[in-house]
Amino acid sequence: MASFRKEVVLATKFHIGKTEVENRADTALYNGIRYHLESSMKRLKTDYVDLYYLHRLHELVPVEEVAEVMGRLIEEGLIRGWGLSQVSLETLQKAQETVPVSAVQNLYSMVERDCEKEIFPYCKERGIGVVAFSPIASGLLSGKVTAETKFEGDDVRKFVPQLSKENLAANQPILDVLAEFSGRKGATNAQISLAWMLHKYPNVVPIPGSKNQERILENLGAWEVELTEEEFSELEAALAGCTVYGHRGHMESEQKGFRKNWDK
Ligand SMILES: NC(=O)c1ccc[n+]([C@@H]2O[C@H](COP(=O)([O-])OP(=O)(O)OC[C@H]3O[C@@H](n4cnc5c(N)ncnc54)[C@H](OP(=O)(O)O)[C@@H]3O)[C@@H](O)[C@H]2O)c1
């Protein structure tokens, strides 16, 4: 069994609202963020939060101003650390130089590798955690999403281009690689996709999402799937030989002002 420390991190996020943007008084941003934090703490029944993220940078609010507020909240003992979500290296650097960042929550999976270029090296060097969201590529890498799968109700996968019928078919070679490894390791495809990133980076924490208890336990089981160096290299080489078709979609990866782009 892989050895790891089980630690519970209570993390939550906020989004900069209209009031904080329009009211440019000196204390407006602090008051606004503190209000969001206190509301979250009330709902979570806690008097502090381990990790408080800014969900998306607002184009009218410099990240340095947010960092200063976060620094103040840390000093006040209301949060232990702060983080950013879906940010570029440039933004992260500005933030880090103002008040050190604990974690960055960015899109990362076998089929969404942008973070590998700059974010991972920068974070690794500075001891910043990278929390990988959509690590199973919205279910794609589990191999259980097929052309017949229907996404209903509020399931955001309706809008994920990577899950279109055409892209599912075109990405089959990636699923074949995963199936080969999962057969060999007595694991599932989803577990291999998570074990791969846990092996690859010491500072990555994948956060797979599921509404299904069995799958949550299955995904947690990825901690116990150990890839040898040889297996990892073989897997990397096989993946490097595959082309990725489609992406997760702009609404999660490129938006700046959350609501404005969501409506589009
Ligand atoms: N920071 C951000 O901007 C941001 C953006 C998006 C998401 N997130 C967070 O990231 C986390 C996960 O992201 P995600 O839900 O988009 O992506 P994901 O973990 O890559 O995929 C989740 C989807 O795959 C299915 N799934 C999960 N495990 C499976 C398994 N073992 N076998 C088969 N299907 C499986 C789930 O369906 P079932 O529910 O049916 O199992 C779910 O719809 C969530 O905590 C979410 O809040 C953050």
Side-chain angles (χ1 to χ4, degrees):
M1 194 204 276
S3 68
F4 62 92
R5 282 190 305 154
K6 277 189 196 161
E7 272 180 28
V8 176
V9 173
L10 182 61
T12 188
K13 292 183 189 166
F14 72 98
H15 196 71
I16 293 175
K18 209 167 167 239
T19 329
E20 293 98 76
V21 177
E22 283 174 0
N23 180 355
R24 304 296 291 164
D26 280 354
T27 51
L29 192 61
Y30 171 80
N31 290 342
I33 297 177
R34 188 168 168 145
Y35 171 77
H36 290 303
L37 175 63
E38 282 175 353
S39 307
S40 289
M41 290 197 302
K42 206 167 163 192
R43 288 188 290 268
L44 292 165
K45 300 186 173 52
T46 179
D47 54 9
Y48 76 93
V49 164
D50 292 307
L51 176 57
Y52 199 39
Y53 292 104
L54 171 65
H55 178 69
R56 286 291 183 275
L57 185 65
H58 194 291
E59 51 214 351
L60 300 177
V61 183
V63 73
E64 293 91 333
E65 286 185 24
V66 177
E68 276 162 17
V69 172
M70 293 301 212
R72 197 169 150 191
L73 295 171
I74 292 171
E75 275 169 22
E76 290 167 345
L78 294 174
I79 62 173
R80 298 262 157 97
W82 79 288
L84 291 154
S85 175
Q86 201 54 21
V87 282
S88 64
L89 180 66
E90 196 193 340
T91 301
L92 177 57
Q93 275 170 327
K94 285 186 199 160
Q96 172 74 6
E97 282 159 20
T98 313
V99 173
V101 172
S102 301
V104 175
Q105 190 179 128
N106 271 21
L107 176 65
Y108 182 65
S109 73
M110 283 176 168
V111 292
E112 294 279 3
R113 306 257 204 133
D114 282 357
C115 278
E116 291 187 354
K117 290 179 219 141
E118 298 179 324
I119 295 287
F120 270 110
Y122 182 87
C123 289
K124 202 170 151 197
E125 205 168 294
R126 286 158 187 81
I128 301 172
V130 182
V131 176
F133 81 75
S134 291
I136 308 174
S138 313
L140 168 76
L141 298 172
S142 73
K144 290 176 187 154
V145 179
T146 68
E148 278 68 53
T149 309
K150 291 214 170 16
F151 302 120
E152 281 158 356
D154 62 355
D155 196 329
V156 292
R157 291 182 294 174
K158 284 192 247 197
F159 311 111
V160 174
Q162 218 159 42
L163 300 180
S164 72
K165 282 189 176 52
E166 300 72 29
N167 286 331
L168 281 172
N171 284 318
Q172 189 56 43
I174 299 171
L175 303 183
D176 293 343
V177 168
L178 276 166
E180 204 272 310
F181 270 83
S182 57
R184 221 199 285 181
K185 298 293 289 180
T188 65
N189 283 21
Q191 287 175 332
I192 296 292
S193 72
L194 299 170
W196 164 84
M197 67 173 76
L198 289 169
H199 182 103
K200 190 163 174 157
Y201 295 105
N203 57 331
V204 68
V205 179
I207 47 163
S210 179
K211 291 178 180 159
N212 175 307
Q213 191 181 7
E214 238 171 78
R215 285 175 178 171
I216 293 170
L217 294 173
E218 174 192 328
N219 296 340
L220 285 170
W223 282 103
E224 292 172 24
V225 179
E226 275 186 83
L227 298 171
T228 63
E229 275 310 322
E230 211 178 2
E231 287 166 337
F232 174 74
S233 305
E234 206 187 319
L235 181 53
E236 279 284 70
L239 291 171
C242 299
T243 303
V244 177
Y245 293 89
H247 53 84
R248 192 180 191 283
H250 299 290
M251 65 178 183
E252 296 292 8
S253 52
E254 290 176 11
Q255 71 196 35
K256 291 201 173 76
F258 186 72
R259 181 154 298 144
K260 197 173 63 178
N261 287 303
W262 185 274
D263 286 346
K264 278 182 199 162

